[in-house]
Amino acid sequence: MTKDPYKIIKKLPSSKGDLSYWSLEELQKQGYPINKLPFSIRILLENTLRNFDDFAITKENIETLLNWKPEPSEKDIPYKPARVLMQDFTGVPAVVDIASLRAEAVRKGKNPEKINPLIPVDLVVDHSVQVDYFGTNYSYKKNVDVEYKRNGERYEFLKWAQKSFNNFSVVPPGMGICHQVNLEYLAQGVISRDGNVFPDTLVGTDSHTPMVNGIGVVGWGVGGIEAEAAVLGQPINFIMPEVVGLRLTGELPLGTTATDMVLTITELLRRQSVVGKFVEVFGPGLDGLSVPDRATISNMSPEFGCTVTYFPIDDRTLDYMKRTNRDEAQIKLVESYAKANMLWRENEDEINYSSVVELDLSTVEPTVSGPKRPQDKILLREFKQKFGSLLKEVHGREYIPIEKREVGRWLGEGGGNQPVENSNKSVEGDLEIKTKVKNGLKSVGVKLHNEEFALYDGSIVIAAITSCTNTSNPSVMIGAGLIAKKARERGLDVKPWVKTSLAPGSKVVTDYLQHAGLLEDLEALRFHVVGYGCTSCIGNSGPLPTHIAKAVEENDLVVASVLSGNRNFEARVHPQVKMNYLMSPMLVVAFALAGRVDVDLNNEPLGYDPNLEPVYLKDLWPSNEEIFEVSQKVLSPGDYKKSYGEIFEGNEQWRQLKAPEDKVYQWSDHSTYIKEAPFFNGISEEVDEPKEILEARVLLKLGDSITTDHISPAGSFSPKSPAGKYLLDKGVEQAMFNSYGSRRGNDEIMVRGTFANVRIKNQLATKEGGYTTHMPSGEEMTVFDASRKYIADKVPLLVLAGKEYGSGSSRDWAAKGTTLLGIKGVIAESYERIHRSNLVGMGVLPMQYAKGQSAASLGLTGKELISIEGINEGLTPLKVLKATAKKEDGSIVSFDVVARLDSLIEIEYYKNGGILHYVLRQFLKA
């Protein structure tokens, strides 16, 4: 029976008949100041009103939102999204978990078919394609072939899930990136279901889920753990957010792009500290921003640190829906519902925000960000100078202008004219590398077959037009194509050492580039389509060409990548590339032509045409009118209809995959991709009280800004690593290792890769990477090997960390791997929202030092025996616990830590050993 404690349910006429909705306008009439609430808070309020059951969602929760204030609050609110979006890296382990819940239900004598998604789930396979082949017209086909060869078992498992589970659909490989598919197709603005109409809301198992905020849909990234709970009917609980208003004025100047705007906003909002807050965009500057421009901003919410960056529904929203072939009746429903329920963008000046940040768009300049954080903004006009200072500060090398380097002399010493008929010889036999060093700066001459060139610190070895952040925006993609067209007309080419790639977020992009004749121009510069997936943005750059990799590795070159993505953390894009810069697709093409980052594109030529005439960026840069003219000609709803009309069909390889028919998955002992999750096997039906953490050892002592990329297994791995040795022992050749991400369905591999990032700096080890010092033996070994010793000795483990622990992507294995290593708790100065929640969701206790304290201020070395008391009785949200650290000399350091269990439901999750353990016990009791 529908509960309506405020008597506000009204009817909305529609093409589907009268639909019921929970009227915020009626609440306004009752005296509640709804008009002063930010739009995003209004949507959360509607969510609690509609899902009110006086149990999981109470009247107190509703009152908390009705009385939202701009000031910070410690009050907890529940959220039940209308749907869930997954990508395959995080989606496969989520499906493994649900399948494992079914397996345990069978062992307990229950009906496994009762365990099903209770709300719609769309899983988009976009994280598995890797750039193994590039620069040719066969690159796409060969990359897809390799993708299926590596991932066939995972894909069969997903097809099984699609057949076995209700409310579960899969977008097959090669169709697009989940957030672009969500923006262009899945997002509906409002949803009509069971005779009701309400805002389209979601959570996604990828941190860039907020991209959909650009079309007026509230959604954000959560860990796979929280998403699984939402799928199984649990509310997601979080502290009521502050809402920061981002007021935009003015218009973008000529020569700037939406990418320049978002990188400027990233630096601005990081400086304002919006971590864990909502951001809502308003102001007259919003009128000139298209939905793709808005989505470019929303996409980088995780880089800002906020939960959402919300754009209310307005005429621009409806216009985009028409352009992307949404149903006319649906567009009318979005408009009528938003206007009827105070969710239409109007009366912005009445809204109270927690704070307001202003940006005059006319002040935006061409911008890049890097070399290892998205918020490290660099103006294009200062890029060359900044590179020189970074080279010295970070890598200890003096920058030498290119005209003063010595390698050119070597290239003139003869050779380099070998006949091509010897091309069947091995690369090793034809390859010659010579090195010059001056003041620490490396210059490396490379000869291969009949080609010779020089590599330096600052040479670009990867140029990737990738990621939904920018490929969803036709203006910058058409702009990139126009730059390629003009470069061809001037006889320019990409430098031979640059690995180029084009990975659109949907097939619509290639359609309109083909219609414009620009795909041919991009391909002439070797920007061939390599796949429809995240590629370099998530570390799937593939190997560097052998001769480039050898020159870089043997000479420790500080080479660079340029990419139109949203992440450039250390070792993320490629383990051999130490500097990674985010920029617009247009600048990616320009820098690929230059071949190096130490170039002043405002004043120095990109290259020279066949007549040795200099060609500058200004000679290639298209005007806004040129981009608009092409856009008007080639952008058509028909392309969206064609691409999304076959979105769930997949290619021939997908259609030929055979999937099991059983309702309970039959696990294979021989599989190295899919294994039953170990978390639920033999679970008790009753919950024990949590135990104190006594005489724990520190497995890792870490600094600030440790990201989930540092913690969670990601990217490729060495045969010498614990995960590599495991696969070799199983008879898997190195060539078929695939990536950690593709093997997230196998806990044995993932636990071996946790804290194994090649750039992680554990202060308990003498070298970078996944190493630690086992205590009290003092022996240095891998984190995994040390954890096995501690577990065998029944020694609990802790992690000590600094500020912003767990920032970055929403990786559930950063929490799952942590618990499987035997880590009982983490003590940090501050946390990123999703990772803290995920730790709780896996039964790991996140703790926070008292304000102003840290491991350093307390004199902790990580070699102490640490006990945490106050856990086993009277746990309350944010309870202060007593910690004691016994040093090697026997002295004691006592200090307080705050248990970051932020709500009563999180305490229940922690007591149960995790959120899914809680759900399973509820099911078993029922």
Side-chain angles (χ1 to χ4, degrees), residues 475-702:
S475 65
V476 291
M477 295 301 291
I478 288 170
L482 287 170
I483 287 179
K485 180 176 187 289
K486 295 184 179 190
R488 283 184 76 192
E489 291 168 351
R490 291 297 301 269
L492 297 189
D493 200 358
V494 167
K495 295 298 185 284
W497 56 85
V498 182
K499 181 174 183 177
T500 48
S501 60
L502 170 60
S506 78
K507 290 194 170 183
V508 173
V509 179
T510 40
D511 286 341
Y512 67 66
L513 288 175
Q514 280 177 329
H515 298 332
L518 297 176
L519 190 61
E520 180 183 339
D521 295 308
L522 286 163
E523 289 175 343
L525 300 186
R526 302 202 309 277
F527 281 98
H528 292 78
V529 172
V530 294
Y532 295 89
C534 301
T535 63
S536 294
C537 194
I538 59 162
N540 285 1
S541 301
L544 295 177
T546 305
H547 58 299
I548 305 295
K550 186 176 175 66
V552 171
E553 192 71 30
E554 290 183 355
N555 294 280
D556 192 27
L557 282 175
V558 181
V559 292
S561 74
V562 293
L563 66 153
S564 63
N566 46 44
R567 289 279 164 89
N568 56 348
F569 300 133
E570 286 183 285
R572 180 184 179 93
V573 175
H574 193 285
Q576 290 182 296
V577 181
K578 295 181 180 178
M579 287 186 158
N580 303 283
Y581 294 97
L582 307 180
M583 59 188 65
S584 72
M586 299 159 78
L587 285 178
V588 169
V589 175
F591 274 103
L593 293 166
R596 56 194 177 94
V597 293
D598 59 324
V599 56
D600 179 358
L601 290 188
N602 287 342
N603 299 298
E604 297 176 24
L606 286 167
Y608 295 84
D609 70 14
N611 299 305
L612 300 184
E613 292 290 330
V615 180
Y616 293 87
L617 180 62
K618 64 185 178 184
D619 300 325
L620 307 182
W621 198 266
S623 68
N624 289 355
E625 289 75 18
E626 286 178 276
I627 294 173
F628 179 76
E629 184 180 342
V630 174
S631 299
Q632 289 296 103
K633 287 180 181 176
V634 302
L635 294 178
S636 162
D639 287 336
Y640 292 90
K641 182 178 182 180
K642 171 176 162 286
S643 290
Y644 289 111
E646 55 193 27
I647 187 74
F648 296 107
E649 293 178 15
N651 61 14
E652 185 64 25
Q653 287 151 298
W654 178 262
R655 291 193 290 271
Q656 292 299 320
L657 280 178
K658 290 184 169 55
E661 302 287 341
D662 311 82
K663 292 296 182 181
V664 178
Y665 191 73
Q666 302 303 309
W667 311 98
S668 169
D669 293 337
H670 304 294
S671 174
T672 57
Y673 276 101
I674 306 295
K675 285 175 62 69
E676 182 178 355
F679 311 115
F680 320 114
N681 202 324
I683 189 173
S684 64
E685 295 195 29
E686 297 301 322
V687 183
D688 296 327
E689 283 299 313
K691 296 180 173 61
E692 311 281 40
I693 300 173
L694 301 176
E695 296 194 329
R697 285 290 183 185
V698 176
L699 188 60
L700 298 104
K701 182 172 182 284
L702 305 167

Side-chain angles (χ1 to χ4, degrees), residues 349-387:
D349 293 338
E350 297 177 7
I351 295 173
N352 291 330
Y353 290 109
S354 302
S355 61
V356 173
V357 179
E358 300 211 21
L359 175 64
D360 180 352
L361 295 176
S362 68
T363 64
V364 171
E365 296 185 52
T367 298
V368 303
S369 285
K372 60 181 181 180
R373 295 191 308 175
Q375 65 263 40
D376 293 334
K377 169 187 164 186
I378 304 170
L379 295 177
L380 183 64
R381 57 183 166 84
E382 299 173 351
F383 192 13
K384 180 178 179 179
Q385 176 187 347
K386 185 67 174 175
F387 169 79

Side-chain angles (χ1 to χ4, degrees), residues 801-821:
K803 300 180 183 69
E804 297 180 348
Y805 182 72
S807 56
S809 299
S810 56
R811 299 187 185 277
D812 57 329
W813 267 108
K816 288 178 175 177
T818 296
T819 194
L820 289 178
L821 285 171

Side-chain angles (χ1 to χ4, degrees), residues 68-126:
W68 181 88
K69 297 288 189 295
E71 296 76 31
S73 168
E74 293 300 327
K75 291 197 172 180
D76 196 57
I77 55 171
Y79 169 66
K80 294 187 85 169
R83 57 190 178 92
V84 171
L85 178 71
M86 293 182 174
Q87 39 91 335
D88 57 304
F89 270 21
T90 49
V92 166
V95 176
V96 166
D97 285 347
I98 297 173
S100 299
L101 290 174
R102 278 193 171 185
E104 184 62 17
V106 169
R107 287 191 287 267
K108 292 284 195 289
K110 303 289 184 177
N111 180 3
E113 293 185 48
K114 296 282 187 178
I115 296 178
N116 265 306
L118 299 179
I119 55 175
V121 179
D122 294 293
L123 188 149
V124 182
V125 182
D126 65 0

